Amino acid sequence: MSLPAPSSDALAASHALQQQIAAEIAQQSGAIPFSRFMELALYAPDLGYYSGGSAKLGKDGDFTTAPELSALFGQALAQAAAAIMAQSAPHILEFGAGTGKLARDVLTELARAGVAVERYAIVELSGELRARQQEALRDFPQVVWLDGFPEQFDGAILGNEVLDAMPVSLLRKTAAGWRELQVTVRDGAFAFTEAALSAQLEAELARQIPEAEALPEGYVSELHGAATGFMGSLGALLARGRGAAILLDYGFPAREYYLAQRDTGTLMCHYRHHAHADPFYLPGLQDITAHVDFTAMALAAQDAGAEVLAYMSQAAFLLGCGIGDLLLRTDPADAQAYLPQANALQKLLSPAEMGELFKVLVVGRGVTLPAPLAASDRSHRL
């Protein structure tokens, strides 16, 4: 691979994390589950990708998210959040708030519309990102930070590109059946090795990929145990109150996820705006993600007591929130102001960009969605 060279400090941090992971592998009889490797690579204290100090988002980071493209994204989400809060409570809870731009855009738009938000809580695991959020949101006194799920919540919940960054297990279909891909050290470098499935992974496989035995030998895919656990907790939280969660991410329903031709899985890494498939490259300096199985996410929330309110493409969701009208607040005659916004909107909506690859899952309890959003629902495809 031809990727940008890291700084000496970044390289030293990655080497320190590699030593930490290698030590744990040695302590665990020579191998750890890939899910544990991914957890350490992303979240090891001070050294993991999300807990270290490097820039992650925007032109100086490794990838760009929808809120970074345009304020129109947050303004559109604000319309849905307002409709949910009108039926529940004036509270918003956001998971993984990135740079804080989405929160700022949502709060600014709601203030513009005269919609009061008494409390905007953010659950953020990254100390570096939390510091950036606190700086970006210093003018919004209703914003607070939490270390985990609250006991009770009523209102609107937001999660943009949260599920894809949760650790996954990797499985491979062999002549002897399904095997777990674990991580070992071979010739001084991380490498995959195979192990028998635990009882828990056997159960997850049966639940998540019902037609697993029909897939071809050599097929590799992911099990989303951490993300389904998160969705179970989210569903239970919603079942205890009134409100809805809007989750935006890239992925597929199960019937599209586990196609025979998707035989190498969906694991992907992002480093300095380069995408590649090697999860062992410079641990701690690159993002590691997997596409979301939205069927599994919906079932986990439903099993915990929430209802599936809608599932649709990002384009359908944003259009249902009136993003076209939001764009027209900028005079098309003012080309300098209008064209960048229109170009960003094209990226958010185009099927060739984010419009179709990114999906929106809405789960909740005790609320209904506005008619334009309900009309776009295609949860029957889950």
Side-chain angles (χ1 to χ4, degrees), residues 76-135:
L77 257 66
Q79 314 306 314
I84 293 166
M85 290 190 295
Q87 302 170 69
S88 53
H91 306 142
I92 296 177
L93 173 62
E94 184 180 0
F95 288 92
T99 63
K101 189 174 186 301
L102 177 59
R104 189 176 70 219
D105 292 341
V106 167
L107 286 167
T108 300
E109 174 64 18
L110 291 172
R112 182 184 189 276
V115 177
V117 180
E118 290 182 3
R119 191 171 190 256
Y120 193 115
I122 294 174
V123 177
E124 179 58 67
L125 299 180
S126 167
E128 182 264 335
L129 287 176
R130 182 182 288 207
R132 293 181 68 179
Q133 294 159 14
Q134 289 169 340
E135 174 63 22

Side-chain angles (χ1 to χ4, degrees), residues 8-63:
S8 58
D9 287 346
L11 197 58
S14 180
H15 285 162
L17 179 56
Q18 290 174 54
Q19 291 173 348
Q20 180 178 327
I21 296 172
E24 180 163 327
I25 289 173
Q27 292 167 3
Q28 298 298 323
S29 301
I32 58 173
F34 178 78
S35 57
R36 177 57 178 164
F37 173 89
M38 185 171 171
E39 180 183 2
L40 290 169
L42 296 181
Y43 301 109
D46 300 322
L47 296 174
Y49 180 75
Y50 283 106
S51 51
S54 63
K56 296 153 184 67
L57 305 172
K59 63 181 179 63
D60 296 323
D62 302 300
F63 54 91

Side-chain angles (χ1 to χ4, degrees), residues 254-273:
R255 68 180 68 183
E256 297 173 23
Y257 200 115
Y258 309 106
L259 298 175
Q261 58 266 39
R262 208 184 305 283
D263 57 357
T264 58
T266 71
L267 200 74
M268 189 58 60
C269 306
H270 301 274
Y271 177 71
R272 303 283 183 85
H273 293 277

Side-chain angles (χ1 to χ4, degrees), residues 315-333:
F317 177 81
L318 294 177
L319 289 169
C321 290
I323 198 168
D325 293 333
L326 295 171
L327 172 63
L328 292 178
R329 290 177 182 172
T330 303
D331 185 357

